[in-house]
Amino acid sequence: MAFVNISLLLGGLLTAIPVVLHLVMRQQPKRLTFPAMRFLRQRRETNRRKLQLKHWLLLALRCGAIVLLALAFARPSVLSAAVGQWVLILVVGVGVLIAGSLTTVSIVQHKGKVLIGSLAAVTLATLIAFSSMIIGLVKQSSGVLLGDEQAPVAAVMIFDTSPHMEYRFQNQTRTEIAQSMGNWLISQFPPDSEVAVMDSRQSPAVFAVDLASARKAIDRLQTTEVSDSLPSVAARGLNLLESSDKKRKEIYFFTDLVESAWQDRTGTVAKLLEEHSDVLVYVVDVGALEPINVGLGPLELSAETVAKSSELRVRTRVQSVGAASTQVVQLLVEDFDPTLPIVIDGKTKLPEARPRGKEEVAVATGESQRVEFRLQGLDPGVHHGVVRLSGDDGLDADNVRHFAIEVKEAWPMLVVAPENATSSLFVEAIAPFEFEQTGQARFACTVVSQSSLANRDLDSYTGVCLLDPEPIPSVVWEQLGKYVRAGGAMAVFLGNNAQATASFNEPAAQQLLGGRLARVWRSADRSLFLAPERYDHPVMAPFRDRPTSVPWDASPVFKHWVLDPLNEDAGVILAYSNGKPAVVERSVDRGRVITVTTTVSDSLRPPDHSAWNELPTSDQSWPYVVLANELMLHLTDSSGVRLNYAVGEPAVLPNDSRIYPDRYQLFTPSEQPQEARAQDGEVVVRFTEHAGAYRLKGVKDGPIVRGFAVNLKAEATSLARLTSDELDSRLGKGRYQLARDKDEIELEVGEARVGREFYSHLLVLLVMVLGIEHLMANRFYRKQND
């Protein structure tokens, strides 16, 4: 509790006046002589007691009136949040007075000991409770400075600068409104105040040099696409306030109360605010209560790397909030030009983006509609594109989504098979003849016999596939090992020609294979088949959505090799129904090796005792075709090359030194070109703070252009607001004051700084006490005069 005029509390000493007057002006009893003295003496004793009680009661009322008058002029105030507690204390205090009065009356009138004892016990208990509550509340409020509205403050002003704050309503963005209120609030701060301006960036908290510097910091606020949560920013702000020597400390949130900006699963800020009870918290709500907006959801690409002439599908959803709408969605894709981008006269020239599709979509309020575009016929190279909503609405940030794809010529694959193995079933699965004729095949397969493998230049191939290989000389294993370590890829399909001998189990072979060949597992019936247990590997991605509907049991496996033991760095992608490994992956330096423990090169003859499986020959062989393609895509790392990221994520592109340069020019969406270098076979771009196209340009036997795209996270443009209960869970119930305009801010800040005054309440109570005293005095003295 604090007092505006604490010196006026000395007026409480004036309570001595009615005491003195009471002692001086009290009437002396008149002496009368009556015959029946016994009855008169009893009557006199009764009258004396009543007179004494009335005198004490009048004395108490007059003293109380003076105390109330002194308190009213002193203008006591308490924390707004503690008003309820003070009211409860007042109720308990009244209870103490009532209990004390009843106890006094019972003593004066010589009531029974039991009654007097009970009333005394109640009075003592309520007095102890009253004292404890007063002491506890004073301690709780001891760190908060009240009463002097012009005392300097240490204030932290936190501005939400996430993309959703750019929502425009009544020709103002939420950021502009927050800046206006922030500048006005700074003008209300007392001189010599310390102010820190913080936004959604992950930056350190510091106090501005002066209030003018704080205003400039507010004026310079810009949207931050990589946003930290407001609770995290507040934690840094509280640490800064703790270092200030100012007695009054305040923290302000300028926010539209969008849920995504208040992520705090651990409740850290609520705990910190509970510990820093001397910090006053204000939430300034600048959000639109009923926003109206249409935006695009995240993009879905059928692939990020596609073969020339193959089809690419681009999907998204148009989402509407607040009102139904009809929107036109456009797809634009840049032409590939190896000479661009380039800086001319200080400006970056980019490839031209051409329209590739347009859809008109009607969306109901609160619903979404799916949009799909199909692309084909793009030239080889990296292409950047956008999906865009035509027209304007409240929030522009979610009207554009960026993407990047790489179109490649068919990947050259060397397929090696001995004379007694059939390669056509495998080649037709990954590069169908009709796709080769139309240019849609993703792989260009070169089939050679195993005897010619030693004379091949392996570096000209993306991957090497060994189908049911015969024993391989050590020198050839070493040649394959050198190729893989340099970044090559190899798949080995073990079959009838393999042997658990020195050729496959020698050190040069074991440095590549997934494990040691132990024996052949045989199944006499059709009970053995591929049985995936997990679908988290990229190879198994196409089967995730239908794990129970894939007819693996329709393609039985009759024989497979058992690898025992597996090499320590090998991982199982797929197993058989007997639990034994079917597909094993192993990384070898910069390359990758996949070992399949059954062959896919059996002939098309009906199954007999010599057949290893029916994977490629079953009537339902589509799982094999999908699996073979996914294995080759993963093997060549084409399925693992990621070209699309969210803001803030480090972008990583593989950089094979045989194909790509070690140094690039990096063109970002908003800055001048900078240098990027490859290290350990990768180009890492750690700072992706802006949505848009990122381009890498280098030279390696001619110009090479690569790139990737960055998009805002979906929640960054969400306009879903927090409920009051959710805000309570973030900051603590009753721990903050909420305001929407300047008048509310002024009221809340004024009450919090000065506190909630009891001046009017004390005056009302004073009038009541004086009225009671007047009535009792008139009644008492009139009877005496009579």
Side-chain angles (χ1 to χ4, degrees), residues 20-43:
V20 172
L21 292 175
H22 173 75
L23 295 176
V24 171
M25 298 180 65
R26 64 179 181 175
Q27 297 180 356
Q28 296 295 324
K30 296 179 181 181
R31 298 180 177 274
L32 298 173
T33 304
F34 291 92
M37 295 300 297
R38 182 170 59 88
F39 296 105
L40 290 176
R41 285 174 182 172
Q42 292 179 352
R43 180 67 178 172

PDB file of all heavy atoms in Angstrom, residues 20-43:
ATOM      1  N   VAL A  20      -9.704  13.859  25.260  1.00  0.00           N
ATOM      2  CA  VAL A  20      -9.568  14.924  26.272  1.00  0.00           C
ATOM      3  C   VAL A  20     -10.932  15.534  26.579  1.00  0.00           C
ATOM      4  O   VAL A  20     -11.299  15.753  27.749  1.00  0.00           O
ATOM      5  CB  VAL A  20      -8.590  16.003  25.761  1.00  0.00           C
ATOM      6  CG1 VAL A  20      -8.593  17.204  26.720  1.00  0.00           C
ATOM      7  CG2 VAL A  20      -7.197  15.415  25.661  1.00  0.00           C
ATOM      8  N   LEU A  21     -11.684  15.825  25.509  1.00  0.00           N
ATOM      9  CA  LEU A  21     -13.000  16.401  25.713  1.00  0.00           C
ATOM     10  C   LEU A  21     -13.889  15.463  26.528  1.00  0.00           C
ATOM     11  O   LEU A  21     -14.695  15.899  27.367  1.00  0.00           O
ATOM     12  CB  LEU A  21     -13.664  16.718  24.371  1.00  0.00           C
ATOM     13  CG  LEU A  21     -13.009  17.857  23.565  1.00  0.00           C
ATOM     14  CD1 LEU A  21     -13.696  17.994  22.207  1.00  0.00           C
ATOM     15  CD2 LEU A  21     -13.117  19.173  24.337  1.00  0.00           C
ATOM     16  N   HIS A  22     -13.762  14.184  26.257  1.00  0.00           N
ATOM     17  CA  HIS A  22     -14.562  13.194  26.982  1.00  0.00           C
ATOM     18  C   HIS A  22     -14.234  13.222  28.468  1.00  0.00           C
ATOM     19  O   HIS A  22     -15.122  13.173  29.336  1.00  0.00           O
ATOM     20  CB  HIS A  22     -14.309  11.808  26.403  1.00  0.00           C
ATOM     21  CG  HIS A  22     -14.953  10.707  27.189  1.00  0.00           C
ATOM     22  ND1 HIS A  22     -16.308  10.450  27.156  1.00  0.00           N
ATOM     23  CD2 HIS A  22     -14.414   9.804  28.061  1.00  0.00           C
ATOM     24  CE1 HIS A  22     -16.584   9.433  27.947  1.00  0.00           C
ATOM     25  NE2 HIS A  22     -15.446   9.023  28.514  1.00  0.00           N
ATOM     26  N   LEU A  23     -12.945  13.330  28.793  1.00  0.00           N
ATOM     27  CA  LEU A  23     -12.545  13.330  30.196  1.00  0.00           C
ATOM     28  C   LEU A  23     -12.918  14.633  30.904  1.00  0.00           C
ATOM     29  O   LEU A  23     -13.286  14.645  32.085  1.00  0.00           O
ATOM     30  CB  LEU A  23     -11.029  13.090  30.295  1.00  0.00           C
ATOM     31  CG  LEU A  23     -10.545  11.714  29.818  1.00  0.00           C
ATOM     32  CD1 LEU A  23      -9.021  11.655  29.871  1.00  0.00           C
ATOM     33  CD2 LEU A  23     -11.151  10.611  30.679  1.00  0.00           C
ATOM     34  N   VAL A  24     -12.833  15.760  30.153  1.00  0.00           N
ATOM     35  CA  VAL A  24     -13.094  17.063  30.768  1.00  0.00           C
ATOM     36  C   VAL A  24     -14.586  17.303  30.943  1.00  0.00           C
ATOM     37  O   VAL A  24     -15.044  17.801  31.983  1.00  0.00           O
ATOM     38  CB  VAL A  24     -12.451  18.184  29.925  1.00  0.00           C
ATOM     39  CG1 VAL A  24     -12.897  19.572  30.429  1.00  0.00           C
ATOM     40  CG2 VAL A  24     -10.939  18.070  29.986  1.00  0.00           C
ATOM     41  N   MET A  25     -15.338  16.920  29.905  1.00  0.00           N
ATOM     42  CA  MET A  25     -16.748  17.319  29.890  1.00  0.00           C
ATOM     43  C   MET A  25     -17.683  16.236  30.422  1.00  0.00           C
ATOM     44  O   MET A  25     -18.901  16.400  30.344  1.00  0.00           O
ATOM     45  CB  MET A  25     -17.162  17.665  28.443  1.00  0.00           C
ATOM     46  CG  MET A  25     -16.388  18.832  27.873  1.00  0.00           C
ATOM     47  SD  MET A  25     -16.897  19.202  26.178  1.00  0.00           S
ATOM     48  CE  MET A  25     -18.590  19.730  26.471  1.00  0.00           C
ATOM     49  N   ARG A  26     -17.144  15.161  30.935  1.00  0.00           N
ATOM     50  CA  ARG A  26     -18.067  14.136  31.427  1.00  0.00           C
ATOM     51  C   ARG A  26     -18.826  14.651  32.662  1.00  0.00           C
ATOM     52  O   ARG A  26     -18.275  15.361  33.485  1.00  0.00           O
ATOM     53  CB  ARG A  26     -17.312  12.846  31.753  1.00  0.00           C
ATOM     54  CG  ARG A  26     -16.319  12.978  32.872  1.00  0.00           C
ATOM     55  CD  ARG A  26     -15.640  11.647  33.123  1.00  0.00           C
ATOM     56  NE  ARG A  26     -14.685  11.730  34.215  1.00  0.00           N
ATOM     57  CZ  ARG A  26     -14.033  10.665  34.680  1.00  0.00           C
ATOM     58  NH1 ARG A  26     -14.237   9.498  34.144  1.00  0.00           N
ATOM     59  NH2 ARG A  26     -13.182  10.812  35.681  1.00  0.00           N
ATOM     60  N   GLN A  27     -20.080  14.322  32.761  1.00  0.00           N
ATOM     61  CA  GLN A  27     -20.941  14.798  33.853  1.00  0.00           C
ATOM     62  C   GLN A  27     -20.720  13.977  35.135  1.00  0.00           C
ATOM     63  O   GLN A  27     -20.487  12.770  35.071  1.00  0.00           O
ATOM     64  CB  GLN A  27     -22.406  14.713  33.439  1.00  0.00           C
ATOM     65  CG  GLN A  27     -22.748  15.611  32.254  1.00  0.00           C
ATOM     66  CD  GLN A  27     -24.200  15.484  31.898  1.00  0.00           C
ATOM     67  OE1 GLN A  27     -24.926  14.681  32.478  1.00  0.00           O
ATOM     68  NE2 GLN A  27     -24.644  16.281  30.932  1.00  0.00           N
ATOM     69  N   GLN A  28     -20.788  14.705  36.235  1.00  0.00           N
ATOM     70  CA  GLN A  28     -20.680  14.039  37.524  1.00  0.00           C
ATOM     71  C   GLN A  28     -22.059  13.517  37.950  1.00  0.00           C
ATOM     72  O   GLN A  28     -23.090  14.162  37.716  1.00  0.00           O
ATOM     73  CB  GLN A  28     -20.172  15.012  38.596  1.00  0.00           C
ATOM     74  CG  GLN A  28     -18.772  15.521  38.332  1.00  0.00           C
ATOM     75  CD  GLN A  28     -17.749  14.405  38.389  1.00  0.00           C
ATOM     76  OE1 GLN A  28     -17.887  13.479  39.202  1.00  0.00           O
ATOM     77  NE2 GLN A  28     -16.735  14.492  37.524  1.00  0.00           N
ATOM     78  N   PRO A  29     -22.150  12.359  38.524  1.00  0.00           N
ATOM     79  CA  PRO A  29     -23.457  11.832  38.951  1.00  0.00           C
ATOM     80  C   PRO A  29     -24.067  12.688  40.091  1.00  0.00           C
ATOM     81  O   PRO A  29     -23.343  13.219  40.944  1.00  0.00           O
ATOM     82  CB  PRO A  29     -23.116  10.426  39.447  1.00  0.00           C
ATOM     83  CG  PRO A  29     -21.679  10.492  39.800  1.00  0.00           C
ATOM     84  CD  PRO A  29     -21.043  11.469  38.865  1.00  0.00           C
ATOM     85  N   LYS A  30     -25.386  12.867  40.071  1.00  0.00           N
ATOM     86  CA  LYS A  30     -26.101  13.618  41.102  1.00  0.00           C
ATOM     87  C   LYS A  30     -26.423  12.709  42.288  1.00  0.00           C
ATOM     88  O   LYS A  30     -26.830  11.576  42.105  1.00  0.00           O
ATOM     89  CB  LYS A  30     -27.398  14.184  40.533  1.00  0.00           C
ATOM     90  CG  LYS A  30     -27.175  15.196  39.427  1.00  0.00           C
ATOM     91  CD  LYS A  30     -28.491  15.713  38.880  1.00  0.00           C
ATOM     92  CE  LYS A  30     -28.257  16.707  37.759  1.00  0.00           C
ATOM     93  NZ  LYS A  30     -29.546  17.232  37.227  1.00  0.00           N
ATOM     94  N   ARG A  31     -26.234  13.234  43.492  1.00  0.00           N
ATOM     95  CA  ARG A  31     -26.514  12.475  44.704  1.00  0.00           C
ATOM     96  C   ARG A  31     -27.944  12.754  45.152  1.00  0.00           C
ATOM     97  O   ARG A  31     -28.333  13.897  45.412  1.00  0.00           O
ATOM     98  CB  ARG A  31     -25.546  12.834  45.822  1.00  0.00           C
ATOM     99  CG  ARG A  31     -24.107  12.516  45.466  1.00  0.00           C
ATOM    100  CD  ARG A  31     -23.183  12.894  46.608  1.00  0.00           C
ATOM    101  NE  ARG A  31     -21.834  12.531  46.299  1.00  0.00           N
ATOM    102  CZ  ARG A  31     -21.275  11.339  46.520  1.00  0.00           C
ATOM    103  NH1 ARG A  31     -22.017  10.400  47.110  1.00  0.00           N
ATOM    104  NH2 ARG A  31     -20.023  11.094  46.199  1.00  0.00           N
ATOM    105  N   LEU A  32     -28.786  11.704  45.285  1.00  0.00           N
ATOM    106  CA  LEU A  32     -30.175  11.812  45.722  1.00  0.00           C
ATOM    107  C   LEU A  32     -30.431  10.822  46.852  1.00  0.00           C
ATOM    108  O   LEU A  32     -29.853   9.719  46.864  1.00  0.00           O
ATOM    109  CB  LEU A  32     -31.134  11.545  44.554  1.00  0.00           C
ATOM    110  CG  LEU A  32     -31.034  12.515  43.370  1.00  0.00           C
ATOM    111  CD1 LEU A  32     -31.928  12.020  42.230  1.00  0.00           C
ATOM    112  CD2 LEU A  32     -31.458  13.913  43.781  1.00  0.00           C
ATOM    113  N   THR A  33     -31.308  11.185  47.692  1.00  0.00           N
ATOM    114  CA  THR A  33     -31.618  10.295  48.817  1.00  0.00           C
ATOM    115  C   THR A  33     -33.034   9.770  48.645  1.00  0.00           C
ATOM    116  O   THR A  33     -33.986  10.530  48.459  1.00  0.00           O
ATOM    117  CB  THR A  33     -31.511  11.048  50.156  1.00  0.00           C
ATOM    118  OG1 THR A  33     -30.209  11.616  50.257  1.00  0.00           O
ATOM    119  CG2 THR A  33     -31.790  10.118  51.335  1.00  0.00           C
ATOM    120  N   PHE A  34     -33.144   8.411  48.683  1.00  0.00           N
ATOM    121  CA  PHE A  34     -34.444   7.745  48.523  1.00  0.00           C
ATOM    122  C   PHE A  34     -34.604   6.742  49.663  1.00  0.00           C
ATOM    123  O   PHE A  34     -33.601   6.183  50.162  1.00  0.00           O
ATOM    124  CB  PHE A  34     -34.530   7.009  47.195  1.00  0.00           C
ATOM    125  CG  PHE A  34     -34.589   7.945  46.036  1.00  0.00           C
ATOM    126  CD1 PHE A  34     -33.433   8.346  45.383  1.00  0.00           C
ATOM    127  CD2 PHE A  34     -35.803   8.443  45.595  1.00  0.00           C
ATOM    128  CE1 PHE A  34     -33.488   9.191  44.321  1.00  0.00           C
ATOM    129  CE2 PHE A  34     -35.858   9.300  44.513  1.00  0.00           C
ATOM    130  CZ  PHE A  34     -34.700   9.686  43.878  1.00  0.00           C
ATOM    131  N   PRO A  35     -35.854   6.425  49.953  1.00  0.00           N
ATOM    132  CA  PRO A  35     -36.077   5.461  51.056  1.00  0.00           C
ATOM    133  C   PRO A  35     -35.640   4.060  50.680  1.00  0.00           C
ATOM    134  O   PRO A  35     -35.027   3.363  51.490  1.00  0.00           O
ATOM    135  CB  PRO A  35     -37.593   5.517  51.286  1.00  0.00           C
ATOM    136  CG  PRO A  35     -38.071   6.717  50.548  1.00  0.00           C
ATOM    137  CD  PRO A  35     -37.073   7.086  49.520  1.00  0.00           C
ATOM    138  N   ALA A  36     -35.990   3.668  49.481  1.00  0.00           N
ATOM    139  CA  ALA A  36     -35.682   2.264  49.107  1.00  0.00           C
ATOM    140  C   ALA A  36     -34.308   2.227  48.460  1.00  0.00           C
ATOM    141  O   ALA A  36     -34.168   2.258  47.236  1.00  0.00           O
ATOM    142  CB  ALA A  36     -36.757   1.717  48.178  1.00  0.00           C
ATOM    143  N   MET A  37     -33.258   2.282  49.292  1.00  0.00           N
ATOM    144  CA  MET A  37     -31.882   2.400  48.778  1.00  0.00           C
ATOM    145  C   MET A  37     -31.422   1.137  48.045  1.00  0.00           C
ATOM    146  O   MET A  37     -30.608   1.196  47.119  1.00  0.00           O
ATOM    147  CB  MET A  37     -30.946   2.701  49.949  1.00  0.00           C
ATOM    148  CG  MET A  37     -31.206   4.035  50.596  1.00  0.00           C
ATOM    149  SD  MET A  37     -30.997   5.414  49.450  1.00  0.00           S
ATOM    150  CE  MET A  37     -29.280   5.239  49.068  1.00  0.00           C
ATOM    151  N   ARG A  38     -31.921  -0.012  48.494  1.00  0.00           N
ATOM    152  CA  ARG A  38     -31.436  -1.247  47.888  1.00  0.00           C
ATOM    153  C   ARG A  38     -31.756  -1.299  46.396  1.00  0.00           C
ATOM    154  O   ARG A  38     -30.914  -1.594  45.556  1.00  0.00           O
ATOM    155  CB  ARG A  38     -32.061  -2.462  48.595  1.00  0.00           C
ATOM    156  CG  ARG A  38     -31.563  -3.804  48.049  1.00  0.00           C
ATOM    157  CD  ARG A  38     -32.037  -4.926  48.954  1.00  0.00           C
ATOM    158  NE  ARG A  38     -33.469  -4.960  49.037  1.00  0.00           N
ATOM    159  CZ  ARG A  38     -34.247  -5.646  48.175  1.00  0.00           C
ATOM    160  NH1 ARG A  38     -33.703  -6.352  47.210  1.00  0.00           N
ATOM    161  NH2 ARG A  38     -35.555  -5.648  48.322  1.00  0.00           N
ATOM    162  N   PHE A  39     -33.010  -0.966  46.038  1.00  0.00           N
ATOM    163  CA  PHE A  39     -33.404  -1.011  44.629  1.00  0.00           C
ATOM    164  C   PHE A  39     -32.747   0.108  43.830  1.00  0.00           C
ATOM    165  O   PHE A  39     -32.383  -0.051  42.662  1.00  0.00           O
ATOM    166  CB  PHE A  39     -34.928  -0.917  44.504  1.00  0.00           C
ATOM    167  CG  PHE A  39     -35.622  -2.086  45.135  1.00  0.00           C
ATOM    168  CD1 PHE A  39     -36.263  -1.948  46.361  1.00  0.00           C
ATOM    169  CD2 PHE A  39     -35.625  -3.331  44.508  1.00  0.00           C
ATOM    170  CE1 PHE A  39     -36.891  -3.029  46.942  1.00  0.00           C
ATOM    171  CE2 PHE A  39     -36.266  -4.397  45.108  1.00  0.00           C
ATOM    172  CZ  PHE A  39     -36.903  -4.261  46.331  1.00  0.00           C
ATOM    173  N   LEU A  40     -32.586   1.254  44.498  1.00  0.00           N
ATOM    174  CA  LEU A  40     -31.971   2.381  43.803  1.00  0.00           C
ATOM    175  C   LEU A  40     -30.502   2.111  43.479  1.00  0.00           C
ATOM    176  O   LEU A  40     -29.983   2.530  42.444  1.00  0.00           O
ATOM    177  CB  LEU A  40     -32.098   3.644  44.648  1.00  0.00           C
ATOM    178  CG  LEU A  40     -33.527   4.202  44.772  1.00  0.00           C
ATOM    179  CD1 LEU A  40     -33.553   5.393  45.719  1.00  0.00           C
ATOM    180  CD2 LEU A  40     -34.050   4.606  43.406  1.00  0.00           C
ATOM    181  N   ARG A  41     -29.837   1.458  44.434  1.00  0.00           N
ATOM    182  CA  ARG A  41     -28.424   1.147  44.173  1.00  0.00           C
ATOM    183  C   ARG A  41     -28.259   0.189  42.971  1.00  0.00           C
ATOM    184  O   ARG A  41     -27.355   0.324  42.164  1.00  0.00           O
ATOM    185  CB  ARG A  41     -27.802   0.524  45.421  1.00  0.00           C
ATOM    186  CG  ARG A  41     -27.540   1.539  46.493  1.00  0.00           C
ATOM    187  CD  ARG A  41     -27.055   0.868  47.756  1.00  0.00           C
ATOM    188  NE  ARG A  41     -26.849   1.849  48.813  1.00  0.00           N
ATOM    189  CZ  ARG A  41     -26.570   1.540  50.077  1.00  0.00           C
ATOM    190  NH1 ARG A  41     -26.467   0.257  50.432  1.00  0.00           N
ATOM    191  NH2 ARG A  41     -26.393   2.519  50.978  1.00  0.00           N
ATOM    192  N   GLN A  42     -29.154  -0.783  42.886  1.00  0.00           N
ATOM    193  CA  GLN A  42     -29.099  -1.698  41.705  1.00  0.00           C
ATOM    194  C   GLN A  42     -29.347  -0.939  40.410  1.00  0.00           C
ATOM    195  O   GLN A  42     -28.684  -1.154  39.400  1.00  0.00           O
ATOM    196  CB  GLN A  42     -30.130  -2.815  41.878  1.00  0.00           C
ATOM    197  CG  GLN A  42     -29.827  -3.781  42.995  1.00  0.00           C
ATOM    198  CD  GLN A  42     -30.891  -4.849  43.143  1.00  0.00           C
ATOM    199  OE1 GLN A  42     -31.949  -4.776  42.496  1.00  0.00           O
ATOM    200  NE2 GLN A  42     -30.652  -5.821  44.028  1.00  0.00           N
ATOM    201  N   ARG A  43     -30.363  -0.025  40.493  1.00  0.00           N
ATOM    202  CA  ARG A  43     -30.670   0.758  39.292  1.00  0.00           C
ATOM    203  C   ARG A  43     -29.497   1.662  38.911  1.00  0.00           C
ATOM    204  O   ARG A  43     -29.171   1.833  37.736  1.00  0.00           O
ATOM    205  CB  ARG A  43     -31.922   1.605  39.571  1.00  0.00           C
ATOM    206  CG  ARG A  43     -32.354   2.462  38.400  1.00  0.00           C
ATOM    207  CD  ARG A  43     -32.825   1.612  37.260  1.00  0.00           C
ATOM    208  NE  ARG A  43     -33.288   2.428  36.159  1.00  0.00           N
ATOM    209  CZ  ARG A  43     -33.627   1.960  34.966  1.00  0.00           C
ATOM    210  NH1 ARG A  43     -33.541   0.657  34.727  1.00  0.00           N
ATOM    211  NH2 ARG A  43     -34.056   2.788  34.030  1.00  0.00           N
TER     212      ARG A  43
END
